[in-house]
Each structure stands twice: as structure tokens, then as C-alpha cells.
Amino acid sequence: GVKLARTPDEAREAAARMLGNPLITHQTGPAGQVVRKVYVEAGCDIAKEYYLGMLLDRGNSRLVVMASAEGGVEIEEVAARSPEKILKTPVNPHAGLEPFQARRLSYELGFTAEQAPGAEKLMTALCKVFLDKDCSLAEINPVVVTPKGEVLALDAKMTFDDNALFRHPDVEKLRDETEE
């Protein structure tokens, strides 16, 4: 199990224990991946978790925003177990996510009227970075709502189209071949 660090000293100790050791998850396979860097962030109280992603839906040859009120878990598990819980909204690559689409998605996901503007802002920003940086995948998992009603992105993942990296030297500089 995962134990959250409650103090900065506990966080430093946990990071030190991880460095240089393999991290084994279903994404790394049984051999794991050696931890070379650790990013430590302040803890956050969570009232609700969501998934938000943008990708090319190869079955329909369309860009889509995928969203689910089942965040914090692998979206593949949700897709296999309850595909009806995954919402898909097509996105025009020239216009991006339209405001009405973001509003509808925030409503369908169950965000309150107070939370919807924050959720819509995250959705729009995710789509913008996906298009601007020639991503092949951009996802936030989880998007959370705090007990105070704040909408925050806690973890994100982006992959980029290798064929478009020449247009993005800023992204190319971030490449870490030890993570591939």
C-alpha cells in the first residue's frame, strides 16, 4: 500500500528510499523502471476524482475529449468494466473544444454550478495544449474536487507525436531516454 507523507521530512525520506530502486506497476511490467527523479507535491484533500483526456479515436478517426466521473483509476479498467461511464466529445482540430461542449461535459460529469467554470477551464486548457504541442495523448488523472469545491489537476501525462518534434524544440529538450 501507499503511505502518504504527512511532513516534509517524511516526504524527503520516502523520496530517498525510492531513488535508485525499481518501481513496479502494470505500466512498467514485472522488471519495473528504476526511479531516477522524484517530484514531491503538497498533499490535497479530495472529495471527488475525475478522469479527463484527449486523444485520437482511431476507430472514428476523430480527436476526442474523453472524460469520466471514475477518476483516480486506470481508464482502461473503467472502459472494460463500465464503458457507459466514459463520455466522448469530438473536437474540431481547427476550433478546439467549444465553450458549449465544455459546459455540457461538466454538466454530464456532475460538476456543480460553482465547480463547472474550473472544470471547463481545465478541459479547454488540455485541448489547447494537445493541439498546440502536437500531442498524441494528453490526460489528467485525477482531476479532483476538494472539500472546499476547488477543481484541480493532480496528475497529468502527455505523449507527443515524434514526427512533429521538430516544431517543438522546447518539448524535445525535455526528452529523457532513460524513461523510454
Side-chain angles (χ1 to χ4, degrees), residues 82-138:
S82 307
E84 73 282 358
K85 292 185 178 180
I86 297 177
L87 307 175
K88 292 184 180 181
T89 299
V91 174
N92 180 319
H94 301 292
L97 186 68
E98 299 283 354
F100 79 90
Q101 292 176 301
R103 270 191 302 278
R104 185 176 59 224
L105 261 178
S106 67
Y107 172 78
E108 290 173 343
L109 289 168
F111 287 101
T112 67
E114 294 78 22
Q115 298 162 353
E120 292 163 21
K121 184 177 177 182
L122 273 181
M123 292 173 196
T124 303
L126 183 71
C127 290
K128 180 171 178 25
V129 76
F130 180 94
L131 295 169
D132 289 353
K133 296 295 183 181
D134 292 306
C135 291
S136 52
L137 169 73

Side-chain angles (χ1 to χ4, degrees), residues 48-114:
K48 176 82 175 113
E49 298 182 19
Y50 299 84
Y51 169 88
L52 180 62
M54 185 161 174
L55 62 135
L56 174 63
D57 182 343
R58 297 190 189 282
N60 296 324
S61 298
R62 297 183 80 171
L63 293 177
V64 295
V65 170
M66 274 188 5
S68 177
E70 300 281 320
V73 296
E74 297 300 323
I75 197 65
E76 296 84 2
E77 290 176 26
V78 177
R81 188 181 68 244
S82 307
E84 73 282 358
K85 292 185 178 180
I86 297 177
L87 307 175
K88 292 184 180 181
T89 299
V91 174
N92 180 319
H94 301 292
L97 186 68
E98 299 283 354
F100 79 90
Q101 292 176 301
R103 270 191 302 278
R104 185 176 59 224
L105 261 178
S106 67
Y107 172 78
E108 290 173 343
L109 289 168
F111 287 101
T112 67
E114 294 78 22

Side-chain angles (χ1 to χ4, degrees), residues 43-45 48 50 111 118-119 122 140 142-146 149-155:
C44 176
D45 290 329
K48 176 82 175 113
Y50 299 84
F111 287 101
L122 273 181
I140 305 171
V143 170
V144 301
V145 175
T146 68
E150 290 178 286
V151 179
L152 303 172
L154 284 199
D155 194 10

